Amino acid sequence: MTATGTTEPRRLLAAVASNVFGPEVWVVTLPLAVGWRATGERIWPTLGWSLWIAVFAAVIPMVVMVRGARRGQWEGRYVDNREARLVPFLVCMGSVLLGSVGLWLGRAPGALIALAAAMLATLAVCLYITVARRWKISLHSAVATGAVAILTVLYGPWAALVAPLAALSAWSRVVLGKHTVAQVFAGAAVAVLAGGGAVLERPGGPAVSASRAGAAGVAA
Protein backbone atom coordinates (compact mmCIF):
# COMPACT_ATOMS: atom_id res chain seq x y z
CA MET A 1 0.00 0.00 0.00
CA THR A 2 1.31 3.46 -0.87
CA ALA A 3 2.15 6.14 1.65
CA THR A 4 -0.82 8.14 0.41
CA GLY A 5 -3.08 5.12 0.83
CA THR A 6 -2.12 4.77 4.49
CA THR A 7 -2.20 8.50 5.21
CA GLU A 8 -5.62 9.38 3.81
CA PRO A 9 -7.70 7.08 6.08
CA ARG A 10 -5.65 8.32 9.03
CA ARG A 11 -6.36 11.95 8.17
CA LEU A 12 -10.01 11.16 7.54
CA LEU A 13 -10.32 9.58 10.98
CA ALA A 14 -8.53 12.58 12.49
CA ALA A 15 -10.87 15.03 10.73
CA VAL A 16 -13.93 13.16 12.00
CA ALA A 17 -12.55 12.95 15.55
CA SER A 18 -11.63 16.65 15.56
CA ASN A 19 -15.24 17.57 14.82
CA VAL A 20 -17.12 14.87 16.72
CA PHE A 21 -15.03 15.43 19.87
CA GLY A 22 -14.47 19.14 19.42
CA PRO A 23 -14.59 21.57 22.38
CA GLU A 24 -18.21 22.54 21.81
CA VAL A 25 -19.33 18.91 22.14
CA TRP A 26 -17.66 18.50 25.53
CA VAL A 27 -18.93 21.89 26.70
CA VAL A 28 -22.53 20.99 25.82
CA THR A 29 -22.48 17.54 27.41
CA LEU A 30 -20.34 18.11 30.52
CA PRO A 31 -22.85 20.40 32.32
CA LEU A 32 -25.41 17.62 32.06
CA ALA A 33 -23.15 15.28 34.02
CA VAL A 34 -22.22 17.93 36.56
CA GLY A 35 -25.77 19.23 36.84
CA TRP A 36 -27.18 15.75 37.41
CA ARG A 37 -25.16 15.42 40.60
CA ALA A 38 -25.42 19.08 41.59
CA THR A 39 -29.23 19.12 41.45
CA GLY A 40 -29.66 15.86 43.33
CA GLU A 41 -30.36 13.93 40.12
CA ARG A 42 -33.41 15.98 39.18
CA ILE A 43 -33.96 15.96 35.45
CA TRP A 44 -35.62 19.34 34.78
CA PRO A 45 -33.23 21.51 36.82
CA THR A 46 -30.36 19.58 35.23
CA LEU A 47 -31.65 20.23 31.73
CA GLY A 48 -32.43 23.88 32.45
CA TRP A 49 -29.07 24.85 33.91
CA SER A 50 -27.17 22.74 31.38
CA LEU A 51 -28.97 24.44 28.51
CA TRP A 52 -28.10 27.84 29.98
CA ILE A 53 -24.41 26.96 30.17
CA ALA A 54 -24.46 25.39 26.70
CA VAL A 55 -25.89 28.56 25.15
CA PHE A 56 -23.29 30.88 26.66
CA ALA A 57 -20.26 28.59 26.64
CA ALA A 58 -20.78 26.81 23.33
CA VAL A 59 -23.60 28.06 21.10
CA ILE A 60 -22.89 31.80 21.13
CA PRO A 61 -19.09 31.41 20.71
CA MET A 62 -19.52 28.87 17.91
CA VAL A 63 -21.98 31.08 16.04
CA VAL A 64 -19.46 33.92 16.17
CA MET A 65 -16.59 31.69 15.07
CA VAL A 66 -18.48 30.05 12.22
CA ARG A 67 -19.66 33.42 10.92
CA GLY A 68 -16.14 34.83 11.21
CA ALA A 69 -14.74 31.90 9.26
CA ARG A 70 -17.32 32.34 6.51
CA ARG A 71 -16.42 36.02 6.24
CA GLY A 72 -12.73 35.19 5.99
CA GLN A 73 -11.81 36.78 9.33
CA TRP A 74 -9.95 33.62 10.37
CA GLU A 75 -9.25 30.11 9.12
CA GLY A 76 -12.02 27.65 9.89
CA ARG A 77 -14.49 27.50 12.75
CA TYR A 78 -11.72 26.44 15.15
CA VAL A 79 -9.62 29.48 14.12
CA ASP A 80 -6.58 27.59 12.87
CA ASN A 81 -4.40 30.70 12.45
CA ARG A 82 -3.04 31.63 15.88
CA GLU A 83 -2.73 35.36 15.19
CA ALA A 84 -6.51 35.63 14.67
CA ARG A 85 -7.48 34.00 17.97
CA LEU A 86 -7.66 37.12 20.15
CA VAL A 87 -11.19 38.14 19.15
CA PRO A 88 -12.66 34.62 19.42
CA PHE A 89 -11.02 34.19 22.83
CA LEU A 90 -12.49 37.47 24.06
CA VAL A 91 -15.92 36.53 22.70
CA CYS A 92 -15.76 33.18 24.48
CA MET A 93 -14.68 34.71 27.76
CA GLY A 94 -17.28 37.47 27.59
CA SER A 95 -20.05 35.02 26.80
CA VAL A 96 -19.05 32.60 29.58
CA LEU A 97 -18.77 35.50 32.03
CA LEU A 98 -22.26 36.70 31.11
CA GLY A 99 -23.58 33.18 31.52
CA SER A 100 -21.86 32.92 34.90
CA VAL A 101 -23.61 36.07 36.09
CA GLY A 102 -26.90 34.48 35.12
CA LEU A 103 -26.02 31.34 37.06
CA TRP A 104 -25.22 33.41 40.13
CA LEU A 105 -28.34 35.57 39.89
CA GLY A 106 -30.46 32.49 39.33
CA ARG A 107 -28.90 30.77 42.34
CA ALA A 108 -27.67 27.82 40.33
CA PRO A 109 -25.99 24.96 42.21
CA GLY A 110 -22.48 25.82 43.33
CA ALA A 111 -20.95 23.03 41.26
CA LEU A 112 -22.23 24.59 38.04
CA ILE A 113 -20.98 28.04 39.00
CA ALA A 114 -17.61 26.44 39.78
CA LEU A 115 -17.64 24.74 36.40
CA ALA A 116 -18.16 28.10 34.67
CA ALA A 117 -15.36 29.60 36.78
CA ALA A 118 -13.05 26.76 35.72
CA MET A 119 -13.91 27.45 32.08
CA LEU A 120 -13.04 31.12 32.51
CA ALA A 121 -9.77 30.34 34.28
CA THR A 122 -8.70 27.93 31.56
CA LEU A 123 -9.65 30.36 28.81
CA ALA A 124 -7.68 33.14 30.50
CA VAL A 125 -4.51 31.06 30.71
CA CYS A 126 -4.88 29.83 27.14
CA LEU A 127 -5.46 33.40 25.95
CA TYR A 128 -2.25 34.55 27.61
CA ILE A 129 -0.22 31.69 26.13
CA THR A 130 -1.73 32.10 22.67
CA VAL A 131 -1.56 35.88 22.36
CA ALA A 132 1.15 37.11 24.72
CA ARG A 133 3.49 34.13 24.33
CA ARG A 134 2.54 33.59 20.67
CA TRP A 135 2.17 29.85 21.08
CA LYS A 136 -0.89 28.02 19.77
CA ILE A 137 -1.92 25.89 22.74
CA SER A 138 -4.61 23.32 21.99
CA LEU A 139 -8.09 24.03 23.32
CA HIS A 140 -9.30 20.72 21.93
CA SER A 141 -6.94 19.02 24.35
CA ALA A 142 -7.64 21.41 27.23
CA VAL A 143 -11.42 21.07 27.08
CA ALA A 144 -11.44 17.30 26.57
CA THR A 145 -8.91 16.64 29.34
CA GLY A 146 -10.71 18.94 31.76
CA ALA A 147 -14.00 17.21 31.05
CA VAL A 148 -12.53 13.76 31.70
CA ALA A 149 -10.97 14.98 34.95
CA ILE A 150 -14.24 16.44 36.20
CA LEU A 151 -16.20 13.33 35.28
CA THR A 152 -13.68 11.16 37.10
CA VAL A 153 -13.86 13.33 40.22
CA LEU A 154 -17.66 13.23 40.24
CA TYR A 155 -18.35 9.68 39.14
CA GLY A 156 -15.23 7.78 40.12
CA PRO A 157 -12.75 5.66 38.15
CA TRP A 158 -15.34 4.28 35.74
CA ALA A 159 -15.67 7.75 34.21
CA ALA A 160 -12.05 7.48 33.08
CA LEU A 161 -13.33 5.14 30.37
CA VAL A 162 -14.04 8.26 28.32
CA ALA A 163 -10.36 9.24 28.49
CA PRO A 164 -9.58 7.57 25.13
CA LEU A 165 -12.03 9.99 23.51
CA ALA A 166 -10.05 12.92 24.88
CA ALA A 167 -6.83 11.32 23.67
CA LEU A 168 -8.39 10.81 20.23
CA SER A 169 -9.35 14.48 20.10
CA ALA A 170 -5.81 15.55 20.96
CA TRP A 171 -4.31 13.06 18.50
CA SER A 172 -6.52 14.35 15.71
CA ARG A 173 -5.17 17.87 16.06
CA VAL A 174 -1.59 16.66 15.69
CA VAL A 175 -2.37 14.46 12.69
CA LEU A 176 -4.17 17.34 10.97
CA GLY A 177 -1.17 19.59 11.54
CA LYS A 178 -3.14 22.05 13.69
CA HIS A 179 -0.95 21.58 16.79
CA THR A 180 2.31 20.01 17.86
CA VAL A 181 2.52 17.22 20.42
CA ALA A 182 3.83 19.76 22.94
CA GLN A 183 0.83 22.02 22.36
CA VAL A 184 -1.72 19.29 23.04
CA PHE A 185 0.12 18.19 26.19
CA ALA A 186 0.26 21.81 27.32
CA GLY A 187 -3.48 22.13 26.75
CA ALA A 188 -4.06 19.11 28.96
CA ALA A 189 -1.81 20.56 31.66
CA VAL A 190 -3.66 23.88 31.63
CA ALA A 191 -6.96 22.04 32.02
CA VAL A 192 -5.63 20.28 35.09
CA LEU A 193 -4.03 23.33 36.70
CA ALA A 194 -5.86 26.47 35.61
CA GLY A 195 -9.16 25.83 37.38
CA GLY A 196 -7.36 25.41 40.70
CA GLY A 197 -9.73 27.50 42.79
CA ALA A 198 -12.96 25.90 41.57
CA VAL A 199 -14.86 23.53 43.82
CA LEU A 200 -17.54 21.08 42.81
CA GLU A 201 -19.99 19.95 45.48
CA ARG A 202 -21.55 16.52 45.49
CA PRO A 203 -25.17 16.57 46.62
CA GLY A 204 -25.38 14.72 49.89
CA GLY A 205 -21.64 14.39 50.14
CA PRO A 206 -18.43 16.28 50.73
CA ALA A 207 -17.19 18.95 48.38
CA VAL A 208 -14.82 17.68 45.76
CA SER A 209 -12.07 19.76 44.23
CA ALA A 210 -12.19 20.61 40.57
CA SER A 211 -8.69 22.03 40.74
CA ARG A 212 -7.59 19.12 38.65
CA ALA A 213 -10.42 19.64 36.23
CA GLY A 214 -10.46 23.08 34.64
CA ALA A 215 -12.61 22.80 31.55
CA ALA A 216 -12.55 25.56 28.75
CA GLY A 217 -15.48 27.33 26.88
CA VAL A 218 -15.09 26.56 23.22
CA ALA A 219 -12.99 27.25 20.32
CA ALA A 220 -9.74 25.55 19.63
Side-chain angles (χ1 to χ4, degrees):
M1 184 176 290
T2 65
T4 302
T6 58
T7 300
E8 287 307 316
R10 187 166 175 261
R11 287 187 62 84
L12 178 60
L13 174 60
V16 171
S18 179
N19 287 286
V20 173
F21 303 115
E24 72 278 18
V25 176
W26 295 96
V27 170
V28 168
T29 55
L30 181 61
L32 289 167
V34 176
W36 183 247
R37 283 295 177 87
T39 62
E41 302 182 352
R42 292 181 295 157
I43 187 168
W44 294 116
T46 295
L47 290 175
W49 291 120
S50 298
L51 178 62
W52 180 267
I53 294 175
V55 167
F56 286 93
V59 176
I60 292 174
M62 283 307 299
V63 167
V64 171
M65 287 186 289
V66 169
R67 291 187 66 181
R70 289 177 177 174
R71 293 175 178 176
Q73 294 176 272
W74 42 72
E75 298 174 8
R77 64 191 179 102
Y78 291 130
V79 194
D80 294 331
N81 48 329
R82 183 205 59 80
E83 63 277 7
R85 287 192 163 196
L86 175 60
V87 171
F89 261 117
L90 293 178
V91 169
C92 289
M93 293 181 68
S95 185
V96 173
L97 180 60
L98 185 60
S100 300
V101 171
L103 291 174
W104 181 74
L105 291 176
R107 298 188 178 184
L112 292 172
I113 296 175
L115 176 61
M119 290 180 182
L120 279 172
T122 303
L123 282 169
V125 174
C126 288
L127 171 63
Y128 171 76
I129 293 173
T130 301
V131 177
R133 307 307 300 177
R134 299 183 179 181
W135 200 59
K136 189 183 166 190
I137 193 169
S138 173
L139 272 177
H140 268 71
S141 179
V143 174
T145 302
V148 171
I150 287 177
L151 290 173
T152 303
V153 167
L154 286 177
Y155 291 94
W158 284 105
L161 291 174
V162 300
L165 301 181
L168 183 61
S169 178
W171 168 84
S172 73
R173 303 303 283 172
V174 175
V175 171
L176 294 173
K178 307 302 183 182
H179 293 286
T180 65
V181 172
Q183 287 167 345
V184 298
F185 273 104
V190 167
V192 171
L193 299 172
V199 173
L200 297 177
E201 296 179 354
R202 280 185 184 171
V208 292
S209 172
S211 62
R212 299 174 249 325
V218 294

